[in-house]
Coordinates of all heavy atoms in Angstrom, one line a residue:
M1 N 13.6 -10.3 -10.3 CA 13.5 -8.9 -10.0 C 12.2 -8.4 -10.7 O 11.8 -8.8 -11.7 CB 14.7 -8.2 -10.7 CG 14.7 -6.7 -10.3 SD 16.3 -6.3 -9.5 CE 17.4 -6.1 -11.0
A2 N 11.5 -7.4 -10.0 CA 10.3 -6.9 -10.5 C 10.2 -5.4 -10.1 O 10.5 -5.1 -9.0 CB 9.1 -7.7 -9.9
K3 N 9.6 -4.7 -11.1 CA 9.3 -3.3 -10.7 C 7.8 -3.3 -10.2 O 7.0 -3.9 -10.9 CB 9.4 -2.4 -11.9 CG 10.9 -2.2 -12.3 CD 10.9 -0.9 -13.2 CE 12.3 -0.7 -13.7 NZ 13.4 -0.6 -12.7
I4 N 7.6 -2.7 -9.1 CA 6.3 -2.7 -8.5 C 5.9 -1.2 -8.3 O 6.6 -0.4 -7.8 CB 6.3 -3.4 -7.1 CG1 6.7 -4.8 -7.3 CG2 4.9 -3.3 -6.5 CD1 7.0 -5.5 -5.9
T5 N 4.7 -0.9 -8.8 CA 4.2 0.5 -8.7 C 3.1 0.5 -7.6 O 2.1 -0.2 -7.7 CB 3.6 1.0 -10.0 OG1 4.7 1.0 -11.0 CG2 3.1 2.4 -9.9
F6 N 3.3 1.4 -6.6 CA 2.4 1.6 -5.5 C 1.6 2.9 -5.9 O 2.2 3.9 -6.2 CB 3.1 1.8 -4.2 CG 3.7 0.5 -3.8 CD1 5.0 0.2 -4.1 CD2 3.0 -0.4 -3.0 CE1 5.6 -1.0 -3.7 CE2 3.6 -1.6 -2.5 CZ 4.9 -1.9 -2.9
V7 N 0.3 2.8 -5.9 CA -0.6 3.9 -6.2 C -1.3 4.3 -4.9 O -2.0 3.5 -4.2 CB -1.7 3.5 -7.2 CG1 -2.5 4.7 -7.6 CG2 -1.0 2.9 -8.4
Q8 N -1.1 5.6 -4.5 CA -1.7 6.1 -3.3 C -3.2 6.5 -3.5 O -3.6 6.6 -4.7 CB -0.9 7.4 -2.9 CG 0.4 7.1 -2.4 CD 0.5 6.2 -1.1 OE1 -0.4 6.3 -0.3 NE2 1.6 5.4 -1.0
P9 N -4.0 6.6 -2.5 CA -5.4 7.0 -2.7 C -5.6 8.3 -3.5 O -6.6 8.5 -4.1 CB -5.9 7.2 -1.3 CG -5.0 6.3 -0.4 CD -3.6 6.4 -1.1
D10 N -4.6 9.2 -3.5 CA -4.7 10.4 -4.3 C -4.3 10.3 -5.7 O -4.3 11.2 -6.4 CB -3.9 11.6 -3.6 CG -2.5 11.4 -3.6 OD1 -2.0 10.3 -4.2 OD2 -1.7 12.3 -3.1
G11 N -3.9 9.1 -6.1 CA -3.5 8.8 -7.5 C -2.0 8.9 -7.7 O -1.5 8.6 -8.8
S12 N -1.3 9.4 -6.7 CA 0.2 9.5 -6.9 C 0.8 8.1 -6.9 O 0.3 7.2 -6.3 CB 0.8 10.4 -5.8 OG 0.6 9.8 -4.6
K13 N 1.9 8.0 -7.7 CA 2.5 6.7 -7.9 C 4.0 6.7 -7.6 O 4.6 7.8 -7.8 CB 2.4 6.3 -9.4 CG 0.9 6.1 -9.8 CD 0.9 5.8 -11.3 CE -0.5 5.7 -11.8 NZ -0.7 5.6 -13.2
Q14 N 4.5 5.6 -7.1 CA 5.9 5.4 -6.8 C 6.3 4.0 -7.3 O 5.6 3.0 -6.8 CB 6.2 5.6 -5.4 CG 7.6 5.9 -5.0 CD 7.8 6.2 -3.5 OE1 6.9 6.6 -2.9 NE2 9.0 6.0 -3.1
T15 N 7.3 3.9 -8.1 CA 7.7 2.6 -8.6 C 9.0 2.2 -7.9 O 9.9 3.0 -7.8 CB 7.9 2.6 -10.1 OG1 6.6 2.9 -10.7 CG2 8.3 1.2 -10.6
V16 N 9.0 1.0 -7.4 CA 10.3 0.5 -6.7 C 10.7 -0.8 -7.4 O 9.9 -1.4 -8.1 CB 10.0 0.2 -5.2 CG1 9.4 1.4 -4.5 CG2 9.1 -1.1 -5.0
T17 N 12.0 -1.1 -7.2 CA 12.5 -2.4 -7.8 C 12.7 -3.3 -6.6 O 13.3 -3.0 -5.6 CB 13.9 -2.1 -8.5 OG1 13.6 -1.2 -9.5 CG2 14.4 -3.4 -9.1
A18 N 12.2 -4.5 -6.8 CA 12.2 -5.5 -5.7 C 12.9 -6.8 -6.2 O 12.7 -7.2 -7.4 CB 10.8 -5.9 -5.3
E19 N 13.8 -7.3 -5.4 CA 14.5 -8.6 -5.8 C 13.6 -9.8 -5.5 O 12.8 -9.8 -4.6 CB 15.8 -8.7 -5.0 CG 16.9 -7.8 -5.4 CD 16.7 -6.4 -4.9 OE1 16.4 -6.3 -3.7 OE2 16.8 -5.4 -5.6
N20 N 13.8 -10.8 -6.3 CA 13.1 -12.1 -6.0 C 13.3 -12.6 -4.6 O 14.5 -12.5 -4.1 CB 13.6 -13.2 -7.0 CG 13.1 -12.8 -8.4 OD1 12.4 -11.8 -8.7 ND2 13.5 -13.7 -9.4
G21 N 12.3 -13.1 -4.0 CA 12.4 -13.6 -2.7 C 12.0 -12.6 -1.6 O 11.7 -13.1 -0.5
M22 N 12.1 -11.3 -1.9 CA 11.5 -10.3 -1.0 C 10.0 -10.5 -1.0 O 9.5 -11.1 -1.9 CB 11.8 -8.9 -1.4 CG 13.3 -8.5 -1.5 SD 13.3 -6.8 -2.1 CE 13.0 -5.8 -0.6
T23 N 9.3 -9.8 -0.1 CA 7.9 -9.7 -0.2 C 7.6 -8.3 -0.7 O 8.4 -7.4 -0.6 CB 7.2 -10.0 1.2 OG1 7.6 -8.9 2.1 CG2 7.6 -11.3 1.8
V24 N 6.4 -8.2 -1.2 CA 5.9 -6.8 -1.6 C 6.0 -5.8 -0.4 O 6.3 -4.7 -0.6 CB 4.5 -7.0 -2.2 CG1 4.0 -5.6 -2.5 CG2 4.5 -7.8 -3.5
M25 N 5.7 -6.3 0.8 CA 5.8 -5.5 1.9 C 7.2 -5.0 2.1 O 7.4 -3.8 2.4 CB 5.2 -6.2 3.2 CG 5.3 -5.4 4.5 SD 7.0 -5.5 5.2 CE 6.9 -7.1 6.0
E26 N 8.2 -5.9 2.1 CA 9.5 -5.5 2.3 C 10.0 -4.5 1.3 O 10.8 -3.6 1.6 CB 10.5 -6.8 2.2 CG 10.2 -7.7 3.5 CD 10.8 -9.0 3.4 OE1 11.1 -9.5 2.2 OE2 11.1 -9.7 4.4
A27 N 9.6 -4.7 0.0 CA 9.9 -3.7 -1.0 C 9.4 -2.3 -0.7 O 10.0 -1.3 -0.8 CB 9.5 -4.2 -2.4
A28 N 8.1 -2.3 -0.2 CA 7.5 -1.1 0.2 C 8.1 -0.4 1.3 O 8.4 0.8 1.3 CB 6.0 -1.3 0.5
K29 N 8.5 -1.2 2.3 CA 9.2 -0.6 3.5 C 10.5 0.0 3.2 O 10.9 1.0 3.6 CB 9.2 -1.6 4.6 CG 7.9 -2.0 5.3 CD 7.1 -0.8 5.9 CE 7.8 -0.4 7.2 NZ 7.0 0.8 7.7
R30 N 11.3 -0.8 2.4 CA 12.6 -0.4 2.0 C 12.6 1.0 1.3 O 13.5 1.8 1.5 CB 13.3 -1.4 1.1 CG 14.8 -1.1 0.9 CD 15.4 -2.1 -0.1 NE 14.7 -2.1 -1.4 CZ 15.0 -3.0 -2.3 NH1 15.9 -3.9 -2.1 NH2 14.4 -2.9 -3.5
D31 N 11.6 1.2 0.5 CA 11.5 2.5 -0.3 C 10.5 3.5 0.4 O 10.1 4.4 -0.3 CB 11.1 2.2 -1.7 CG 12.3 1.6 -2.4 OD1 12.6 0.4 -2.3 OD2 13.1 2.3 -3.1
A32 N 10.2 3.2 1.6 CA 9.4 4.1 2.4 C 8.1 4.5 1.8 O 7.7 5.7 1.7 CB 10.2 5.4 2.8
I33 N 7.3 3.5 1.2 CA 6.1 3.8 0.6 C 5.1 4.2 1.7 O 4.9 3.5 2.7 CB 5.5 2.5 -0.1 CG1 6.5 2.1 -1.2 CG2 4.1 2.8 -0.6 CD1 6.6 3.1 -2.4
A34 N 4.4 5.3 1.6 CA 3.5 5.8 2.6 C 2.3 4.8 2.6 O 1.9 4.3 1.6 CB 3.0 7.2 2.2
G35 N 1.8 4.7 3.9 CA 0.6 3.9 4.1 C 0.8 2.4 4.3 O -0.2 1.7 4.5
I36 N 2.0 1.9 4.2 CA 2.2 0.5 4.5 C 2.9 0.5 5.9 O 4.1 0.9 6.0 CB 3.2 -0.1 3.4 CG1 2.6 0.1 2.0 CG2 3.4 -1.6 3.8 CD1 1.4 -0.7 1.7
E37 N 2.2 0.1 6.9 CA 2.7 0.1 8.2 C 3.6 -1.1 8.6 O 4.7 -1.0 9.1 CB 1.6 0.3 9.3 CG 0.6 1.4 9.0 CD 1.2 2.8 9.3 OE1 2.1 2.9 10.1 OE2 0.7 3.8 8.7
A38 N 3.0 -2.3 8.3 CA 3.7 -3.6 8.5 C 4.2 -3.7 9.9 O 5.4 -4.0 10.2 CB 4.8 -3.7 7.5
E39 N 3.4 -3.5 10.9 CA 3.7 -3.4 12.3 C 4.3 -4.7 12.9 O 5.1 -4.8 13.8 CB 2.6 -3.0 13.2 CG 2.3 -1.5 13.0 CD 1.0 -1.1 13.8 OE1 0.4 -1.9 14.4 OE2 0.7 0.1 13.7
C40 N 3.9 -5.9 12.3 CA 4.4 -7.2 12.8 C 5.6 -7.6 12.1 O 6.1 -8.7 12.4 CB 3.3 -8.2 12.7 SG 3.0 -8.9 11.1
G41 N 6.1 -6.9 11.1 CA 7.3 -7.2 10.4 C 7.2 -8.4 9.4 O 8.2 -9.0 9.0
G42 N 6.0 -8.7 9.1 CA 5.8 -9.7 8.0 C 5.3 -11.1 8.5 O 5.4 -12.0 7.8
A43 N 4.9 -11.1 9.8 CA 4.5 -12.4 10.4 C 3.0 -12.7 10.1 O 2.5 -13.7 10.7 CB 4.7 -12.3 11.9
C44 N 2.3 -12.0 9.3 CA 0.9 -12.2 9.0 C 0.1 -12.1 10.3 O -0.8 -12.9 10.5 CB 0.7 -13.5 8.3 SG -1.0 -13.6 7.5
A45 N 0.4 -11.1 11.1 CA -0.2 -11.0 12.4 C -0.7 -9.5 12.7 O -1.0 -9.3 13.9 CB 0.8 -11.4 13.5
C46 N -0.8 -8.7 11.7 CA -1.2 -7.3 12.1 C -2.2 -6.7 11.0 O -3.0 -5.8 11.4 CB 0.0 -6.4 12.2 SG 0.8 -6.0 10.7
A47 N -2.1 -7.1 9.8 CA -3.0 -6.6 8.7 C -2.7 -5.2 8.4 O -3.5 -4.5 7.7 CB -4.5 -6.8 9.0
T48 N -1.6 -4.6 8.8 CA -1.3 -3.2 8.5 C -0.4 -3.1 7.2 O 0.2 -2.0 7.0 CB -0.6 -2.4 9.7 OG1 0.6 -3.1 10.0 CG2 -1.5 -2.4 10.9
C49 N -0.3 -4.2 6.5 CA 0.3 -4.1 5.2 C -0.7 -4.4 4.1 O -0.4 -4.8 3.0 CB 1.5 -5.1 5.1 SG 0.9 -6.8 5.2
H50 N -2.0 -4.1 4.5 CA -3.1 -4.3 3.5 C -2.9 -3.5 2.2 O -2.6 -2.3 2.3 CB -4.4 -3.9 4.3 CG -5.6 -4.0 3.5 ND1 -6.7 -3.2 3.7 CD2 -6.0 -4.9 2.4 CE1 -7.7 -3.5 2.8 NE2 -7.3 -4.5 2.1
V51 N -3.1 -4.2 1.1 CA -3.1 -3.5 -0.2 C -4.2 -4.0 -1.1 O -4.8 -5.1 -0.8 CB -1.7 -3.6 -0.9 CG1 -0.6 -2.9 -0.1 CG2 -1.4 -5.1 -1.1
Y52 N -4.4 -3.4 -2.2 CA -5.3 -3.9 -3.2 C -4.5 -4.2 -4.5 O -3.7 -3.4 -4.9 CB -6.4 -2.8 -3.6 CG -7.2 -2.3 -2.4 CD1 -7.1 -1.0 -2.0 CD2 -8.0 -3.2 -1.7 CE1 -7.8 -0.5 -0.9 CE2 -8.8 -2.7 -0.6 CZ -8.7 -1.4 -0.2 OH -9.4 -1.0 0.8
I53 N -4.7 -5.4 -4.9 CA -3.9 -5.8 -6.1 C -4.8 -5.4 -7.4 O -6.0 -5.8 -7.5 CB -3.7 -7.3 -6.1 CG1 -2.9 -7.7 -4.9 CG2 -3.0 -7.8 -7.4 CD1 -1.5 -7.1 -4.8
D54 N -4.1 -4.7 -8.3 CA -4.8 -4.4 -9.5 C -5.4 -5.6 -10.2 O -4.8 -6.7 -10.2 CB -3.8 -3.7 -10.4 CG -4.4 -2.9 -11.5 OD1 -4.9 -1.8 -11.2 OD2 -4.5 -3.4 -12.7
A55 N -6.6 -5.4 -10.7 CA -7.3 -6.6 -11.3 C -6.6 -7.4 -12.3 O -6.6 -8.6 -12.3 CB -8.6 -6.1 -11.9
D56 N -5.8 -6.7 -13.1 CA -5.0 -7.4 -14.1 C -4.0 -8.4 -13.6 O -3.4 -9.2 -14.2 CB -4.3 -6.4 -15.1 CG -5.3 -5.6 -15.9 OD1 -6.5 -6.1 -16.0 OD2 -4.9 -4.6 -16.4
W57 N -3.6 -8.2 -12.3 CA -2.5 -8.9 -11.7 C -3.0 -9.9 -10.7 O -2.2 -10.7 -10.2 CB -1.6 -7.9 -11.0 CG -0.8 -7.1 -12.0 CD1 -1.2 -5.9 -12.5 CD2 0.4 -7.5 -12.6 NE1 -0.2 -5.5 -13.4 CE2 0.8 -6.5 -13.5 CE3 1.2 -8.6 -12.5 CZ2 1.9 -6.5 -14.2 CZ3 2.4 -8.6 -13.2 CH2 2.7 -7.6 -14.1
A58 N -4.2 -10.0 -10.4 CA -4.8 -10.9 -9.4 C -4.3 -12.4 -9.7 O -4.0 -13.2 -8.8 CB -6.2 -10.8 -9.2
G59 N -4.4 -12.8 -11.0 CA -4.0 -14.1 -11.3 C -2.6 -14.5 -11.1 O -2.2 -15.6 -10.8
K60 N -1.7 -13.5 -11.1 CA -0.3 -13.7 -10.9 C 0.1 -13.7 -9.4 O 1.1 -14.3 -9.0 CB 0.5 -12.7 -11.7 CG 0.4 -13.0 -13.2 CD 1.3 -12.1 -14.0 CE 1.2 -12.6 -15.5 NZ 1.4 -11.5 -16.4
T61 N -0.6 -12.9 -8.6 CA -0.2 -12.9 -7.2 C -0.8 -14.0 -6.5 O -0.4 -14.3 -5.3 CB -0.6 -11.6 -6.5 OG1 -2.1 -11.4 -6.8 CG2 0.1 -10.3 -7.1
G62 N -1.8 -14.6 -7.0 CA -2.4 -15.8 -6.4 C -3.5 -15.4 -5.4 O -3.8 -14.2 -5.2
K63 N -4.0 -16.4 -4.7 CA -5.1 -16.2 -3.7 C -4.5 -16.2 -2.3 O -3.5 -16.9 -2.1 CB -6.1 -17.2 -3.8 CG -6.9 -17.2 -5.1 CD -8.4 -17.5 -4.9 CE -9.2 -17.4 -6.1 NZ -9.4 -16.0 -6.5
P64 N -5.1 -15.5 -1.3 CA -4.6 -15.5 0.0 C -4.8 -16.9 0.7 O -5.8 -17.6 0.4 CB -5.4 -14.5 0.8 CG -6.5 -14.1 -0.1 CD -6.2 -14.6 -1.5
A65 N -3.8 -17.4 1.5 CA -3.9 -18.6 2.2 C -4.9 -18.3 3.4 O -5.3 -17.2 3.6 CB -2.6 -19.0 2.8
A66 N -5.3 -19.4 4.0 CA -6.3 -19.3 5.1 C -5.9 -18.3 6.2 O -6.7 -17.5 6.7 CB -6.6 -20.7 5.7
M67 N -4.6 -18.4 6.6 CA -4.1 -17.5 7.7 C -4.3 -16.1 7.2 O -4.7 -15.2 8.0 CB -2.7 -17.9 8.0 CG -2.2 -17.2 9.3 SD -0.6 -18.0 9.8 CE 0.5 -17.1 8.8
E68 N -3.9 -15.8 6.0 CA -4.0 -14.4 5.5 C -5.5 -14.0 5.4 O -5.8 -12.8 5.8 CB -3.3 -14.4 4.1 CG -3.3 -12.9 3.5 CD -2.8 -12.9 2.2 OE1 -2.1 -13.8 1.7 OE2 -2.9 -11.8 1.5
E69 N -6.3 -14.9 5.0 CA -7.8 -14.5 5.0 C -8.3 -14.1 6.3 O -9.0 -13.1 6.5 CB -8.6 -15.7 4.5 CG -8.4 -16.1 3.0 CD -9.5 -15.5 2.1 OE1 -10.1 -14.5 2.5 OE2 -9.6 -16.0 1.0
D70 N -7.9 -14.9 7.3 CA -8.3 -14.6 8.7 C -7.8 -13.3 9.1 O -8.5 -12.5 9.8 CB -7.8 -15.7 9.7 CG -8.5 -17.0 9.5 OD1 -9.6 -17.0 8.8 OD2 -8.0 -18.0 10.0
M71 N -6.6 -12.9 8.8 CA -6.0 -11.7 9.3 C -6.6 -10.5 8.5 O -6.8 -9.4 9.0 CB -4.5 -11.7 9.1 CG -3.7 -10.6 9.8 SD -4.2 -10.3 11.5 CE -3.8 -11.9 12.2
L72 N -7.0 -10.7 7.3 CA -7.6 -9.7 6.5 C -8.9 -9.2 7.1 O -9.4 -8.1 6.9 CB -7.9 -10.2 5.0 CG -6.7 -10.0 4.0 CD1 -7.0 -10.7 2.8 CD2 -6.5 -8.5 3.8
D73 N -9.5 -10.0 7.9 CA -10.8 -9.7 8.6 C -10.6 -8.5 9.5 O -11.5 -7.7 9.8 CB -11.3 -10.8 9.5 CG -11.9 -11.9 8.6 OD1 -12.2 -11.8 7.5 OD2 -12.0 -13.1 9.2
F74 N -9.3 -8.2 9.9 CA -9.0 -7.1 10.7 C -8.6 -5.8 10.0 O -8.4 -4.8 10.6 CB -7.9 -7.4 11.7 CG -8.2 -8.5 12.6 CD1 -7.9 -9.9 12.4 CD2 -9.0 -8.3 13.8 CE1 -8.3 -10.9 13.2 CE2 -9.3 -9.3 14.7 CZ -9.0 -10.6 14.4
A75 N -8.5 -5.9 8.7 CA -8.1 -4.8 7.8 C -9.3 -3.8 7.6 O -10.4 -4.2 7.7 CB -7.5 -5.3 6.6
F76 N -9.0 -2.6 7.2 CA -10.0 -1.6 6.9 C -10.4 -1.6 5.5 O -9.5 -1.8 4.6 CB -9.3 -0.2 7.2 CG -10.2 1.0 6.8 CD1 -11.3 1.4 7.6 CD2 -9.9 1.7 5.7 CE1 -12.1 2.4 7.1 CE2 -10.7 2.7 5.2 CZ -11.8 3.1 6.0
D77 N -11.7 -1.6 5.2 CA -12.2 -1.5 3.8 C -11.7 -2.6 2.9 O -11.0 -2.4 1.9 CB -11.9 -0.2 3.2 CG -12.6 0.1 1.9 OD1 -13.6 -0.6 1.7 OD2 -12.2 1.0 1.1
V78 N -11.9 -3.9 3.4 CA -11.5 -5.1 2.7 C -12.3 -5.3 1.4 O -13.6 -5.1 1.5 CB -11.5 -6.3 3.6 CG1 -11.2 -7.6 2.8 CG2 -10.6 -6.1 4.8
R79 N -11.7 -5.6 0.4 CA -12.4 -5.8 -0.9 C -11.9 -7.1 -1.5 O -10.9 -7.7 -1.0 CB -12.0 -4.6 -1.9 CG -12.3 -3.3 -1.4 CD -11.8 -2.2 -2.3 NE -11.9 -0.9 -1.7 CZ -11.3 0.2 -2.2 NH1 -10.6 0.1 -3.3 NH2 -11.4 1.3 -1.6
P80 N -12.6 -7.6 -2.6 CA -12.2 -8.8 -3.2 C -10.7 -8.8 -3.6 O -10.0 -9.9 -3.6 CB -13.1 -9.0 -4.4 CG -14.3 -8.2 -4.0 CD -13.8 -7.1 -3.2
E81 N -10.2 -7.7 -4.0 CA -8.8 -7.6 -4.5 C -7.8 -7.4 -3.3 O -6.6 -7.1 -3.5 CB -8.6 -6.6 -5.5 CG -8.9 -5.1 -5.1 CD -10.3 -4.7 -5.3 OE1 -11.3 -5.6 -5.2 OE2 -10.6 -3.5 -5.5
S82 N -8.2 -7.4 -2.0 CA -7.4 -7.2 -0.9 C -6.4 -8.3 -0.7 O -6.7 -9.5 -0.9 CB -8.2 -7.1 0.4 OG -9.0 -5.9 0.4
R83 N -5.1 -7.9 -0.3 CA -4.1 -8.9 0.0 C -3.3 -8.2 1.2 O -3.3 -7.0 1.3 CB -3.2 -9.2 -1.1 CG -3.8 -10.0 -2.2 CD -4.1 -11.5 -1.8 NE -3.1 -12.2 -1.2 CZ -2.2 -12.9 -1.8 NH1 -2.2 -13.1 -3.1 NH2 -1.2 -13.6 -1.1
L84 N -2.5 -9.1 1.8 CA -1.5 -8.6 2.8 C -0.2 -8.6 2.0 O 0.2 -9.7 1.6 CB -1.5 -9.4 4.0 CG -2.7 -9.4 4.9 CD1 -2.6 -10.3 6.1 CD2 -3.1 -8.0 5.3
A85 N 0.4 -7.5 1.9 CA 1.6 -7.4 1.1 C 2.8 -8.2 1.6 O 3.6 -8.7 0.8 CB 2.1 -5.9 1.0
C86 N 2.8 -8.6 2.9 CA 3.8 -9.4 3.4 C 3.7 -10.9 3.0 O 4.6 -11.7 3.2 CB 3.9 -9.3 4.9 SG 2.6 -10.1 5.8
Q87 N 2.6 -11.2 2.4 CA 2.3 -12.6 2.0 C 2.5 -12.8 0.5 O 2.2 -13.9 -0.1 CB 0.9 -13.0 2.5 CG 0.7 -12.9 4.0 CD 1.8 -13.8 4.7 OE1 1.8 -15.0 4.5 NE2 2.6 -13.1 5.6
I88 N 3.0 -11.8 -0.2 CA 3.2 -11.9 -1.6 C 4.7 -11.9 -1.9 O 5.4 -10.9 -1.7 CB 2.5 -10.7 -2.4 CG1 1.0 -10.7 -2.1 CG2 2.7 -10.9 -3.9 CD1 0.3 -9.4 -2.6
K89 N 5.2 -13.0 -2.4 CA 6.6 -13.1 -2.6 C 6.9 -12.6 -4.1 O 6.2 -12.8 -5.0 CB 7.1 -14.6 -2.6 CG 7.3 -15.1 -1.2 CD 8.8 -15.1 -0.9 CE 9.0 -15.8 0.4 NZ 9.5 -15.0 1.5
V90 N 8.0 -11.8 -4.2 CA 8.4 -11.2 -5.5 C 9.0 -12.3 -6.3 O 9.9 -13.0 -5.8 CB 9.3 -10.0 -5.3 CG1 9.8 -9.5 -6.6 CG2 8.6 -8.9 -4.5
T91 N 8.6 -12.4 -7.6 CA 9.3 -13.2 -8.6 C 9.3 -12.4 -9.9 O 8.6 -11.3 -10.0 CB 8.5 -14.5 -8.8 OG1 7.3 -14.2 -9.4 CG2 8.4 -15.3 -7.6
D92 N 10.0 -12.9 -10.9 CA 10.0 -12.2 -12.2 C 8.6 -12.0 -12.7 O 8.4 -11.1 -13.5 CB 10.9 -13.0 -13.2 CG 12.4 -12.9 -12.8 OD1 12.8 -12.1 -12.0 OD2 13.1 -13.8 -13.3
V93 N 7.7 -12.9 -12.4 CA 6.4 -12.9 -12.9 C 5.7 -11.6 -12.5 O 4.7 -11.2 -13.2 CB 5.6 -14.2 -12.5 CG1 4.2 -14.1 -12.8 CG2 6.3 -15.4 -13.1
L94 N 6.1 -11.1 -11.4 CA 5.4 -9.9 -10.9 C 5.9 -8.6 -11.4 O 5.6 -7.5 -11.0 CB 5.4 -9.9 -9.4 CG 4.6 -11.0 -8.7 CD1 4.6 -10.8 -7.2 CD2 3.2 -11.2 -9.2
D95 N 6.8 -8.7 -12.4 CA 7.4 -7.5 -13.0 C 6.3 -6.6 -13.6 O 5.7 -7.0 -14.5 CB 8.5 -7.7 -14.0 CG 9.3 -6.5 -14.5 OD1 9.4 -5.6 -13.6 OD2 9.7 -6.5 -15.6
G96 N 6.1 -5.4 -13.1 CA 5.1 -4.5 -13.6 C 3.9 -4.4 -12.7 O 2.9 -3.7 -13.0
L97 N 3.9 -5.2 -11.6 CA 2.8 -5.2 -10.7 C 2.3 -3.8 -10.2 O 3.1 -3.0 -9.9 CB 3.2 -6.0 -9.4 CG 2.2 -6.2 -8.3 CD1 1.0 -7.0 -8.8 CD2 2.8 -6.8 -7.1
I98 N 1.0 -3.7 -10.2 CA 0.4 -2.4 -9.7 C -0.3 -2.8 -8.4 O -1.2 -3.7 -8.4 CB -0.5 -1.8 -10.7 CG1 0.3 -1.5 -12.0 CG2 -1.2 -0.6 -10.1 CD1 -0.5 -1.0 -13.2
V99 N 0.0 -2.0 -7.3 CA -0.6 -2.2 -6.0 C -1.2 -0.9 -5.5 O -0.5 0.1 -5.6 CB 0.6 -2.7 -5.0 CG1 0.1 -2.8 -3.6 CG2 1.2 -4.0 -5.5
R100 N -2.4 -1.0 -5.1 CA -3.0 0.2 -4.6 C -3.0 0.2 -3.0 O -3.3 -0.8 -2.4 CB -4.5 0.3 -5.1 CG -4.5 0.5 -6.6 CD -5.9 0.6 -7.2 NE -5.7 0.4 -8.6 CZ -5.3 1.3 -9.5 NH1 -5.0 2.5 -9.0 NH2 -5.2 1.0 -10.8
V101 N -2.6 1.4 -2.5 CA -2.5 1.5 -1.0 C -3.9 2.0 -0.5 O -4.5 2.9 -1.1 CB -1.4 2.5 -0.7 CG1 -1.3 2.7 0.9 CG2 -0.1 2.0 -1.3
P102 N -4.5 1.4 0.5 CA -5.7 1.8 1.1 C -5.7 3.2 1.7 O -4.5 3.7 2.0 CB -6.1 0.8 2.1 CG -4.9 0.1 2.4 CD -3.9 0.3 1.3
A103 N -6.8 3.8 1.9 CA -6.8 5.2 2.5 C -6.3 5.2 3.9 O -5.7 6.2 4.4 CB -8.3 5.7 2.5
K104 N -6.5 4.1 4.6 CA -5.8 4.0 5.9 C -5.8 2.5 6.3 O -6.4 1.6 5.6 CB -6.6 4.7 7.0 CG -8.1 4.2 7.2 CD -8.8 5.1 8.2 CE -10.2 4.5 8.5 NZ -10.8 5.2 9.6
Q105 N -4.9 2.2 7.3 CA -4.7 0.8 7.6 C -5.6 0.2 8.7 O -5.8 -1.0 8.8 CB -3.2 0.5 8.0 CG -2.3 0.6 6.8 CD -2.4 -0.6 5.8 OE1 -3.2 -1.5 6.0 NE2 -1.7 -0.5 4.7
F106 N -6.2 1.1 9.5 CA -7.1 0.6 10.6 C -7.9 1.8 11.1 O -7.6 3.0 10.7 CB -6.4 0.0 11.7 CG -5.1 0.6 12.2 CD1 -5.2 1.7 13.0 CD2 -3.9 0.2 11.7 CE1 -4.0 2.4 13.4 CE2 -2.7 0.8 12.2 CZ -2.8 1.9 13.0
Ligands
FES201 S1 3.3 -7.0 8.1 FE1 1.8 -7.6 9.5 S2 0.4 -8.8 8.4 FE2 1.8 -8.1 6.9

């Protein structure tokens, strides 16, 4: 179980609780986090679950796999800390994770 805080572009924050085995995208959708579209439902095929991982957490969320890297090419305003939220599995290690939502998804 992990508490995940989503930070909107205006600085507003919302913290959700996610169970292990869910993805960060699923946790966001369940709690209706604004700005996470996830149009493909988590198949790594849309890039509309694009988020920025807070620098302190990058080591714990890991690096994107090749398929995720390819899909990130379609995201808006991609940065080194960009990830697709559907490709990050929740574990206890991510308790306290801070995720920034981009200004738009495409
Ligand atoms: S939900 Fe489509 S790529 Fe993540």
Side-chain angles (χ1 to χ4, degrees):
M1 189 123 82
K3 288 201 184 305
I4 303 172
T5 298
F6 292 88
V7 183
Q8 294 294 331
D10 67 0
S12 63
K13 297 177 183 171
Q14 194 174 343
T15 300
V16 306
T17 301
E19 286 80 44
N20 291 355
M22 296 179 81
T23 66
V24 171
M25 176 279 279
E26 289 167 339
K29 292 300 286 179
R30 187 182 62 185
D31 286 82
I33 300 295
I36 307 287
E37 308 286 338
E39 286 175 0
C40 78
C44 197
C46 72
T48 62
C49 63
H50 176 212
V51 294
Y52 304 116
I53 301 299
D54 198 77
D56 292 344
W57 288 92
K60 291 186 175 151
T61 54
K63 296 220 175 282
M67 189 167 86
E68 183 182 346
E69 290 266 21
D70 288 347
M71 193 48 58
L72 273 168
D73 289 343
F74 296 96
F76 172 78
D77 192 16
V78 176
R79 303 175 192 170
E81 64 270 31
S82 289
R83 290 294 309 269
L84 296 179
C86 71
Q87 300 302 302
I88 304 172
K89 280 261 192 245
V90 173
T91 65
D92 292 342
V93 171
L94 296 187
D95 188 32
L97 178 67
I98 297 170
V99 174
R100 296 180 196 283
V101 179
K104 60 181 187 174
Q105 287 290 357
F106 44 80

